[in-house]
Each structure stands twice: as structure tokens, then as C-alpha cells.
């Protein structure tokens, strides 16, 4: 099968869309298929060639998003149509379509190629966070884009419900995988723990983008808990603000690969604070690392965290609830260990290979439906 993956982001970018697109391309190659990735060009001077991409990558000219330069927005370019013409795809995979993905959808329609759109970004939540309004317009955009696809794939039951409630047709569930070999409890590093918490504190960590929609300042109360050290991994526009909002926290910046896996496994507790996650990959990575989780009872974490078994779900945007959940868990080492072990057991079957095969089944389903329509006509 020949597949064009049109994605709004791709490594060396570090985010859920980029990571999922990379894992999809890898799995397709592993299964003997032929993917091609089309993505925005990286910022000038970025070493995009550091990544050993599993397939050819076509870079489309792009500009930084105003106010958030880490995000690149693709410009109109003939490279997209040329990629379709040269690769001759059987199916088009649209990863979080918004700008480049919309053009990919139009190209798929023009060439008569079935398209699978993967919903990954809560644009309505972002509109509420950054503009204080605009949710209705965001949902109109989402509905318009995804209604043109042969199938939309939602990463969680909450996302699926939101899409269907707002009139998006032909939605199916497709969760995300996790690298259970890279992320595992055995990577716990006592030397790293002594470096991060020299007085033997329990380490409570957050991993992800440092941006307003993540609401990381909700960890301020956790910073004040006795015997707890807060560790923040990631970078983004909120970095300077969080220096003041989280006194005593250790900021490690952006970390990836095996180094990130070592940090995850060395945590005692993982906390995610953002209420707009359509999935929340870092929750799965923490669970794979044998680390219990505190997360908001909203969006993707509802599918991932078994409340009272692998962690605790708390009301979204409630700083006191976050602090009390951390206080409860860090007060009981046996509970931490039990939740961590249960989390690891829960995700062991959620490999990228397993969910990748489910994705290929979705491709085959839309291809079969198109062929049936052609025969009927």
C-alpha cells in the first residue's frame, strides 16, 4: 500500500502529532508498505537531518506561528501536489489537519484518493485559552475539514464523543501506542534521583510543552509540599512565567529518547495538568515506566488512568485538588508502588505495532468502501 502522510508537525519537532506521525511511518515500513511524509519545513538552522526518517520526507515552506515560534505553519506550495503525483498514493493520512492538512484533503479529493483524517488537537480548547472565545468557529473549522474525509479517527472516547456531538461524520476510535521497551521501570536511575532530589525528596514530574493551555502553574501548591521536589521537562512560551510560578522546581528543558525514558522511570509520581488533551501520550509513557499518574478528569486521561488503581483523576483546573492528590499518594509509598505496577501492566499490550495494525485496518476499510462505491456506480 502506498500512503502519503500529510502532517502539521514532524520530528525534530517534539509533540504528540510529530511523534505519532513518525511512529505511523515506521510501522508502515515495518509492515512492507510505502509511506511518504509531507510536513512543514523546520526553522532555518534546525538540524532536521539528525532524525533518521524511516521514509522519504517532503518539506513544504513554512513560517513560525506568531507568538509561538516553535510551531511552524506551512505556506502554499506546489510541492504537495508534486508529492501526490510522484508517489501515487492509495490512501492519504492527514495528521491533525488544520493548514497543510486542509490542502492535503483538497489534493486527495482532486486526485480521487481516499483520505483518513486523524483528530489530535483540541482547537476549540486552544481558542478558549488563547483568545477567550472562538470555540464555535473552531468547531466549524473542524467539522468542515473532517467531514471531507472518508473516515476520522479519534484518539479517545472523549474526543470521539466531542466530534460526533459537533456533527463530524464517520468517526472511529484509534488510540495511540507506547514504546514499552524504551519506557520501562528498569530504567530508574538512583544517581539521577540523588542529583534531582539531593535531600531524598520524592520526585513529582511533569513532561510536555510549557504553554498556557497546559496550565502547569497548577503545580504551585505541590512545590510547597514538604519532602517533595517538582521536576519539569520540556520547553515552550511559558518557560519564563513558570520560573516564578513554581518556586523550587527543577527545570530540565527538552529531553528525548533514552534520556527521557530514564527521567520518567526515576519519578515517584507523574502529574499532568492540561485539560485539553485529546489523548495525552505522556500519561502512557509514565505508566509504561511504572509511575503512577495524577491527571484531570477530562479528555484523553479518562481512557488512560484507572482512578484508584493506576493513579488519581482530579477536577480540571483545580489546583487544590492536584495538591491534595499528590499529598495523598506521596504519603503512602506502598500505594505509589501498587499504582505504578498496575499502570505498567495496563499498557503492556498498547504497543505501536498493535495500534499500527489497527490503523492499517482503517486504511483497508476506506479503500474497500471506495471500491464498492465505484462498482455500484
Amino acid at each position: 500500500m502506498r500512503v502519503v502522510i500529510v502532517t502539521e508537525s514532524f520530528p525534530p519537532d517534539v509533540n504528540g502529532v510529530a511523534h505519532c506521525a513518525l511512529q505511523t511511518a515506521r510501522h508502515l515500513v515495518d509492515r512492507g508498505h510505502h509511506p511518504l511524509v509531507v510536513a512543514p519545513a523546520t526553522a532555518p538552522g534546525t538540524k532536521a537531518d539528525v532524525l533518521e526518517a524511516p521514509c522519504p520526507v517532503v518539506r513544504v515552506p513554512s513560517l513560525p506561528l506568531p507568538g509561538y515560534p516553535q510551531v511552524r505553519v506551512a505556506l502554499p506550495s506546489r510541492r504537495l501536489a508534486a508529492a501526490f503525483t510522484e508517489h501515487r498514493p492509495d490512501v492519504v493520512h492527514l495528521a491533525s489537519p488544520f493548514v497543510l492538512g486542509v490542502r492535503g484533503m483538497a489534493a486527495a479529493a482532486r486526485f480521487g484518493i481516499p483520505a483518513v483524517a486523524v483528530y489530535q488537537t483540541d482547537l476549540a480548547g486552544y481558542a478558549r485559552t488563547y483568545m477567550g472565545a472562538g470555540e464555535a468557529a473552531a468547531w466549524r473549522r473542524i467539522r468542515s475539514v473532517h467531514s471531507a474525509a472518508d473516515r476520522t479517527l479519534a484518539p479517545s472516547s472523549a474526543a470521539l464523543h466531542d466530534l460526533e456531538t459537533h456533527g463530524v461524520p464517520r468517526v472511529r476510535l484509534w488510540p495511540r501506542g507506547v514504546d514499552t521497551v524504551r519506557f520501562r521501570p528498569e530504567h530508574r536511575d538512583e544517581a539521577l534521583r540523588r542529583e534531582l532530589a539531593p535531600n531524598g525528596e520524592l520526585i513529582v514530574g511533569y513532561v510536555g510543552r510549557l504553554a498556557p493551555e497546559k496550565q502547569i502553574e497548577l503545580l504551585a501548591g505541590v512545590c510547597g509540599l514538604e519532602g517533595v521536589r517538582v521536576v519539569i521537562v520540556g520547553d515552550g512560551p511559558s518557560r519564563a512565567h513558570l520560573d516564578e510560578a513554581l518556586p523550587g522546581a527543577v527545570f530540565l528543558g527538552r529531553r528525548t529518547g533514552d534520556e527521557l525514558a530514564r527521567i520518567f522511570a526515576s519519578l515517584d509520581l507523574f502529574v499532568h495538568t492540561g485539560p485539553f488533551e485529546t489523548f495525552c501520550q505522556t500519561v502512557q509513557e509514565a505508566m509504561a515506566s511504572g509511575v503512577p499518574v495524577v491527571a484531570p478528569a477530562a479528555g484523553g486521561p479518562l481512557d488512560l488512568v484507572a482512578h484508584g488503581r493506576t493513579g488519581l483523576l482530579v477536577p480540571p483546573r483545580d489546583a487544590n485538588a492536584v495538591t491534595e492528590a499528590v499529598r495523598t499518594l506521596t504519603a503512602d509509598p506502598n500505594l505509589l508502588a501498587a499504582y505504578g505496577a498496575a499502570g505498567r501492566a495496563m499498557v503492556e499490550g498498547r504497543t505501536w505495532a498493535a495500534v499500527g495494525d489497527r490503523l492499517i485496518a482503517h486504511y483497508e476499510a476506506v479503500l474497500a468502501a471506495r471500491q464498492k462505491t465505484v462498482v455500484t456506480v
Side-chain angles (χ1 to χ4, degrees):
M1 191 184 310
R2 303 184 70 81
V3 182
V4 168
I5 301 171
V6 181
T7 176
E8 305 290 339
S9 184
F10 197 70
D13 298 345
V14 180
N15 57 58
V17 174
H19 182 67
C20 185
L22 173 63
Q23 293 294 344
T24 296
R26 283 176 174 166
H27 184 71
L28 289 171
V29 170
D30 289 345
R31 290 291 188 260
H33 300 291
H34 304 281
L36 170 75
V37 171
V38 181
T42 57
T46 301
K47 295 182 178 179
D49 58 350
V50 170
L51 167 76
E52 292 186 9
C55 66
V57 179
V58 174
R59 294 284 182 175
V60 176
S62 69
L63 288 175
L65 183 68
Y68 201 159
Q70 294 91 340
V71 176
R72 306 287 299 186
V73 178
L75 297 172
S77 171
R78 295 178 180 177
R79 294 180 189 177
L80 179 63
F84 276 58
T85 301
E86 182 177 346
H87 195 65
R88 295 175 290 107
D90 301 299
V91 65
V92 177
H93 174 119
L94 303 164
S96 195
F98 184 62
V99 177
L100 183 58
V102 170
R103 298 178 194 134
M105 188 82 75
R110 188 164 65 250
F111 287 100
I113 305 166
V116 173
V118 180
Y119 177 71
Q120 290 181 254
T121 305
D122 182 0
L123 296 175
Y126 282 25
R128 184 164 62 250
T129 298
Y130 285 96
M131 298 182 290
E135 291 178 71
W139 273 114
R140 284 195 297 273
R141 174 80 168 184
I142 293 167
R143 185 166 52 249
S144 173
V145 172
H146 285 268
S147 293
D150 292 71
R151 180 169 294 191
T152 286
L153 301 181
S156 63
S157 56
L160 187 147
H161 178 265
D162 284 346
L163 289 164
E164 291 185 334
T165 299
H166 287 88
V168 176
R170 300 179 295 280
V171 185
R172 302 290 188 276
L173 183 65
W174 181 58
R176 303 292 176 266
V178 62
D179 188 339
T180 55
V181 175
R182 168 165 283 168
F183 296 99
R184 55 189 306 113
E186 289 80 1
H187 293 314
R188 189 175 178 88
D189 187 328
E190 293 302 328
L192 174 62
R193 287 179 51 79
R194 287 192 295 272
E195 179 183 336
L196 296 175
N199 297 316
E201 300 96 333
L202 292 176
I203 302 174
V204 175
Y206 165 88
V207 178
R209 286 185 294 113
L210 309 187
E213 74 274 6
K214 301 298 184 181
Q215 300 187 5
I216 307 162
E217 62 275 5
L218 294 177
L219 290 171
V222 177
C223 291
L225 292 177
E226 185 177 355
V228 169
R229 175 59 57 90
V230 172
V231 172
I232 307 294
V233 181
D235 200 2
S238 295
R239 175 66 173 84
H241 160 68
L242 292 172
D243 265 336
E244 297 183 8
L246 304 180
V250 177
F251 290 84
L252 297 181
R254 171 181 156 178
R255 304 298 174 94
T256 61
D258 292 341
E259 183 181 24
L260 178 61
R262 187 166 60 99
I263 294 169
F264 260 119
S266 300
L267 301 177
D268 294 294
L269 179 64
F270 177 78
V271 180
H272 188 83
T273 49
F276 304 123
E277 301 298 329
T278 60
F279 186 73
C280 202
Q281 182 65 15
T282 53
V283 165
Q284 278 204 139
E285 290 168 350
M287 293 169 68
S289 303
V291 177
V293 174
V294 171
L302 290 170
D303 284 357
L304 300 175
V305 180
H307 182 73
R309 183 175 161 218
T310 67
L312 296 176
L313 293 169
V314 299
R317 308 176 189 85
D318 189 331
N320 289 333
V322 171
T323 302
E324 287 309 306
V326 172
R327 190 197 310 273
T328 297
L329 290 176
T330 54
D332 190 341
N334 292 329
L335 195 60
L336 284 174
Y339 281 11
R344 172 68 193 187
M346 183 173 287
V347 302
E348 282 183 335
R350 300 179 189 170
T351 64
W352 278 108
V355 300
D357 286 342
R358 291 175 63 176
L359 176 63
I360 292 170
H362 286 298
Y363 291 166
E364 292 170 342
V366 299
L367 281 168
R370 277 291 186 103
Q371 291 165 0
K372 183 178 179 180
T373 300
V374 171
V375 170
T376 301
V377 172

